[in-house]
Amino acid sequence: ATDLIAGHISEPSEDVRCDYLVDGLTECLRAGLTSVQTNDMNTLEVYKRLDQEGRLPIRVHLTEDPNEMSGPYVSDSGMLACTRVKIFTDGALGANTAALRDPDGSHHGILIHPQEELDQLVAKATANGMQVEAHAIGDAAAEAALSAFAKAGLNGVKRPVL
């Protein structure tokens, strides 16, 4: 049923996306914010354009998806920074998709990445100079993330965010 509608929906142009972002950031400024952190997907180039045009009213700290990871970026103006990558390791408690350990050592919920794949994502992010953020709600997911951090050599100097 969604295919009937999806074919009629177009992605907004880059100009429209710029206008949406500037409007939202301007509202943040009106509320007294001086910076925001966002996980907007596929927006680094849009934010770069806004920064180059002098249209960012507040500082933006963008966190990239692992599939978009290009390496750390900080604009000359200091208004835009993209130095982190966010990796989702499990779901949520409310949806019963958080990866939780059972007393017998097994787990239920969803681990989004097998351990080897998670290890590779964290290693790649680290090698690219990005700080790693991990969404890990359940204890099994947190254990997987901590294991990947250790394998990548992350420590107090290259501190990940869990």
Side-chain angles (χ1 to χ4, degrees):
T2 58
D3 292 339
L4 295 172
I5 296 171
H8 299 284
I9 300 172
S10 62
E11 288 293 318
S13 69
E14 186 171 300
D15 289 339
V16 170
R17 293 177 77 198
C18 285
D19 291 342
Y20 287 162
L21 290 172
V22 170
D23 288 349
L25 294 171
T26 301
E27 286 300 314
C28 291
L29 179 62
R30 283 190 193 118
L33 298 177
T34 59
S35 68
V36 294
Q37 183 278 325
T38 181
N39 296 15
D40 298 335
M41 292 182 68
N42 302 311
T43 55
L44 180 57
E45 294 306 316
V46 178
Y47 280 116
K48 283 181 179 180
R49 174 181 163 185
L50 291 173
D51 182 55
Q52 291 164 356
E53 293 174 356
R55 295 176 60 197
L56 290 178
I58 62 176
R59 285 181 175 76
V60 174
H61 301 275
L62 177 65
T63 301
E64 284 189 301
D65 179 270
N67 298 318
E68 303 176 313
M69 190 172 31
S70 57
Y73 173 82
V74 178
S75 69
D76 292 338
S77 70
M79 296 298 286
L80 175 61
C82 180
T83 60
R84 300 184 292 194
V85 62
K86 185 162 188 174
I87 301 170
F88 283 84
T89 62
D90 68 348
L93 288 171
N96 293 322
T97 54
L100 301 168
R101 283 186 291 187
D102 291 322
D104 66 2
S106 64
H107 77 274
H108 64 278
I110 297 172
L111 282 170
I112 294 174
H113 306 284
Q115 187 67 54
E116 185 176 310
E117 184 179 318
L118 181 60
D119 295 347
Q120 291 170 356
L121 286 171
V122 171
K124 179 182 175 186
T126 302
N128 283 344
M130 301 293 280
Q131 182 182 23
V132 176
E133 291 181 4
H135 165 103
I137 301 299
D139 55 354
E143 185 176 86
L146 291 171
S147 175
F149 296 165
K151 289 174 186 170
L154 297 177
N155 54 36
V157 176
K158 297 180 178 180
R159 186 183 344 221
V161 178
L162 179 61

